[in-house]
Amino acid sequence: MGRIMTEEGTMEMKPLGPTGVTLPEIGLGTWRHNGSPEVIRRALELGALFIDTAESYKTETGVGNAIRGNSHKYFIGTKVSPGHFRHKDVLNAADASLKKLGVDQIDLYQLHWPSLRIPIAETMGAMKELVQAGKVRFLGVSNFSVEQTESAQEALGATPLVSNQVLYSLFDREIEKELLPYCAEHQITVIAYSPLAQGKIDHALRNRPKLTAVLDSVCAKTGKTRAQVLLNWCVRHPSVVTIPQTNKVERVDENCAASGWRLTQEQYDVLSETDGF
Ligand SMILES: NC(=O)c1ccc[n+]([C@@H]2O[C@H](COP(=O)([O-])OP(=O)(O)OC[C@H]3O[C@@H](n4cnc5c(N)ncnc54)[C@H](OP(=O)(O)O)[C@@H]3O)[C@@H](O)[C@H]2O)c1
C-alpha cells in the first residue's frame, strides 16, 4: 500500500477505509500531550503524519501550533464529544476544532464515544453536512461496537464510515472476536489506541512470566525494544493502524522505527498464543 522513506527509516502506509487515501501504520496520539511542538514535528518528519486529537483532550491548539508553517504533510484526526452530539452542537464543535487547529478542513472527524441519549441519525446528519460544506474530509467513530458501527453507517447512507478508533494491544484483544473481522470485511480502518498499555508495559506484564519471557526473547532476536515489538504486533493486521502517544522526542524515533519491518509469522504467533489468548 505504499511507504514513506525517510533518512531514518521506512513508514509503511495502510488504506484509510475505501477513500484511496493512505495513513501511516504508526501515527501519533496526543491525549496528555504536553503542548510542546517538537514531538509532533518529529513525528511528521518520520512519516507519522497522522496526528490524533480530540476536543476533550485540550490538545488541539498545541497540534495547530506544531503544524502551522510546517512543510511536512499531515493528516489530522479529531473528535467530537458525546455532550455535543445534538445537530447544532456538532456544527459548533467542528468550528471550534477548526479554529483551534488553525486549519480549513479536519481530515478525519470522529464521534468519540457512542451516545445512548442522542439518536445517531441526528448526529450523523450534522456530520454529513460538515463533509458537504468541505469542513471535514472523512468521518469515523470511536469506541463503537459492531452494532453501533452498523447503525452509524446506516445513518450515513452513501457517505462511507472510514474508521473506528478502539482499544487494541497485545494486552487488550477483545476486538479480535467480532469488531476487527467486521471492520476488515467492511473496509473500515481500525485505529488502535493505547497500543503501549498507556505506558504501563511493566504493569501489564506483571504476573505474566511466560509472556514476559516470550516478549523479551522476541526483542533479543529482532534487536527491537519492547515498545517496538508491541507496536509491530499491533499493526500486523492489514486493517489496523495505531497512534502511540509520547512526550519524548527520542521515543517518537523509537516508535516510528516499529514500522518498516515485520515480526516473523512464528514470532507473531508465539506472542499471540502465549498466556492462553
Ligand atoms: N478514542 C479513545 O477513546 C481513546 C482513548 C485513549 C487514547 N486514545 C488515543 O490514543 C493515543 C494513544 O493511547 P494512550 O495515550 O492511551 O496510550 P499509549 O500510546 O499506549 O501510551 C502512552 C504512554 O506510553 C509512554 N510511551 C510512549 N512511547 C514509549 C516507548 N517507546 N517506551 C515506553 N513508553 C512509551 C508515554 O510516556 P512518555 O511521554 O514518557 O514517553 C505515555 O505515557 C492517545 O494519545 C489518544 O490520541 C483514544
Side-chain angles (χ1 to χ4, degrees), residues 28-34 51-54 57 59 79 110-113 141-143 165-167 169 191-201 225-228 231 242-248 250-252 254-255:
L28 182 74
T30 65
W31 181 35
R32 298 190 276 215
H33 176 64
N34 64 11
I51 312 295
D52 180 73
T53 180
Y57 299 168
T59 54
K79 312 182 196 85
Q110 305 154 96
L111 304 189
H112 204 148
W113 289 89
V141 291
S142 176
N143 300 301
Q165 183 175 139
V166 289
L167 177 66
S169 74
I191 302 170
Y193 72 67
S194 307
L196 300 174
Q198 295 191 6
K200 299 187 189 90
I201 299 172
T225 65
R226 281 180 171 180
Q228 289 170 330
L231 292 171
T242 192
I243 44 170
Q245 181 271 339
T246 180
N247 280 314
K248 300 192 172 83
E250 64 276 15
R251 282 187 170 165
V252 178
E254 178 184 347
N255 295 346

Side-chain angles (χ1 to χ4, degrees), residues 209-220:
K210 272 197 211 152
L211 186 59
T212 305
V214 165
L215 179 59
D216 287 341
S217 123
V218 172
C219 290

